[in-house]
C-alpha cells in the first residue's frame, strides 16, 4: 500500500500529535515517589501504556480499591498540569493538509477522555473523532481501539495508516491490519523523523 491508497489516518496522541512528555514525566515521577517506587522504572513503562495497566504492574499486591485510588491520584496529577503541552512538530500542519484533502483522521489514545481533551486543546488540535481508553475494554497493544476508530471514520482498518511513537501502540495498529508509521526510531512500514515528513508525503497528493 502507498500513501495514495490510504483512505484515513489514525493517530496516537501523547508523543505523536502532542508533546506531553514533560507532564508525563512529572506526574508519573511524583506518583512513583509517593508510592515508594523508582521513578525511572515507572517512566520506562508509563509512556504509551494505559494508566491502569501501569498501576497494576507496579502495585501487583494492591486491592482493587487501592489500585483505583492509585489511578485516580496519577490522573489528578496529569489532568491539572498542561505546562509545556504543545503540538509535535508538523502535527498542526499535517491535520490541516488532511482536512484540505478531505482525508478522514482520528485520534486513539490510552488516556481517559477528560485528559485527552485537555491536552489536545492545549496543543490546538481538534479531532472530529476521538477514541480513548474509556471507549474500549482492552487497551493497547490490543487492536480494539484502532478498529473502533476506523469504524467511526467509515474506513476499513486495512485501508488506514496508524501513526505511533511506541512499540505497544504500533503493535495495536499492526494487529488491526493497518499500515503503520513509526516515530522515534521504532520499526514500521513508514519510519518518520517527525510528522513534517508525513505532511510532505500527503501534500504530494494535492
Amino acid at each position: 500500500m502507498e500513501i495514495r491508497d490510504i483512505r484515513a489516518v489514525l493517530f496516537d496522541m501523547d508523543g505523536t500529535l502532542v508533546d506531553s512528555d514533560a507532564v508525563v514525566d512529572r506526574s508519573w515521577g511524583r506518583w512513583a515517589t509517593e508510592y515508594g517506587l523508582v521513578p525511572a522504572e515507572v517512566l520506562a513503562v508509563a509512556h504509551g501504556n494505559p494508566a491502569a495497566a501501569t498501576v497494576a504492574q507496579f502495585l501487583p499486591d494492591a486491592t482493587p480499591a487501592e489500585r483505583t485510588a492509585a489511578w485516580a491520584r496519577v490522573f489528578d496529577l496529569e489532568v491539572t498540569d498542561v505546562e509545556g503541552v504543545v503540538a509535535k512538530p508538523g502535527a498542526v500542519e499535517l491535520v490541516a493538509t488532511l482536512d484540505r484533502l478531505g482525508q478522514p483522521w482520528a485520534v486513539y489514545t490510552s488516556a481517559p477522555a477528560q485528559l485527552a481533551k485537555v491536552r489536545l486543546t492545549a496543543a490546538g488540535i481538534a479531532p472530529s473523532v476521538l477514541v480513548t481508553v474509556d471507549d474500549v475494554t482492552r487497551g493497547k497493544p490490543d487492536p480494539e481501539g484502532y478498529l473502533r476508530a476506523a469504524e467511526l471514520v467509515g474506513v476499513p482498518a486495512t485501508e488506514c495508516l496508524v501513526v505511533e511513537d511506541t512499540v505497544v501502540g504500533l503493535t495495536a495498529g499492526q494487529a488491526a491490519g493497518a499500515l503503520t508509521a513509526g516515530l522515534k526510531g521504532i520499526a514500521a512500514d513508514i519510519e518518520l523523523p517527525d510528522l513534517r515528513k508525513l505532511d510532505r508525503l500527503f501534500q504530494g497528493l494535492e
Side-chain angles (χ1 to χ4, degrees):
M1 185 187 292
E2 298 181 5
I3 287 291
R4 66 174 61 88
D5 300 316
I6 292 167
R7 293 181 52 210
V9 183
L10 311 178
F11 294 100
D12 168 55
M13 183 182 72
D14 291 314
T16 298
L17 284 178
V18 176
D19 185 350
S20 56
D21 286 354
V23 175
V24 173
D25 288 350
R26 284 195 300 269
S27 301
W28 281 99
R30 182 173 175 182
W31 179 86
T33 299
E34 290 179 0
Y35 278 82
L37 301 165
V38 179
E41 294 179 357
V42 174
L43 290 173
V45 173
H47 287 277
N49 203 37
T54 302
V55 169
Q57 179 174 335
F58 286 96
L59 301 178
D61 299 323
T63 65
E66 289 170 339
R67 288 186 186 180
T68 298
W71 177 89
R73 175 56 180 155
V74 76
F75 175 77
D76 182 62
L77 289 169
E78 290 192 293
V79 81
T80 56
D81 185 356
V82 293
E83 183 179 350
V85 175
V86 294
K88 294 289 286 185
V92 172
E93 295 82 0
L94 172 55
V95 297
T97 296
L98 294 175
D99 286 340
R100 283 199 308 274
L101 291 169
Q103 183 86 275
W105 60 279
V107 175
Y108 167 45
T109 175
S110 295
Q114 183 182 353
L115 179 58
K117 290 172 183 175
V118 165
R119 288 184 178 166
L120 287 164
T121 298
I125 296 172
S128 58
V129 174
L130 173 63
V131 178
T132 74
V133 72
D134 298 335
D135 302 310
V136 300
T137 57
R138 298 174 302 280
K140 299 174 185 179
D142 190 277
E144 180 184 354
Y146 279 122
L147 291 171
R148 176 65 175 152
E151 179 185 1
L152 289 172
V153 298
V155 176
T158 53
E159 297 178 35
C160 292
L161 175 68
V162 164
V163 187
E164 275 279 359
D165 73 314
T166 65
V167 172
V168 67
L170 195 79
T171 300
Q174 291 170 333
L179 189 72
T180 58
L183 295 156
K184 300 181 181 177
I186 59 173
D189 298 309
I190 302 171
E191 296 183 11
L192 304 172
D194 56 44
L195 294 179
R196 288 173 289 204
K197 177 180 177 180
L198 190 57
D199 185 31
R200 289 193 297 271
L201 291 173
F202 276 105
Q203 283 184 28
L205 302 178
E206 292 187 281

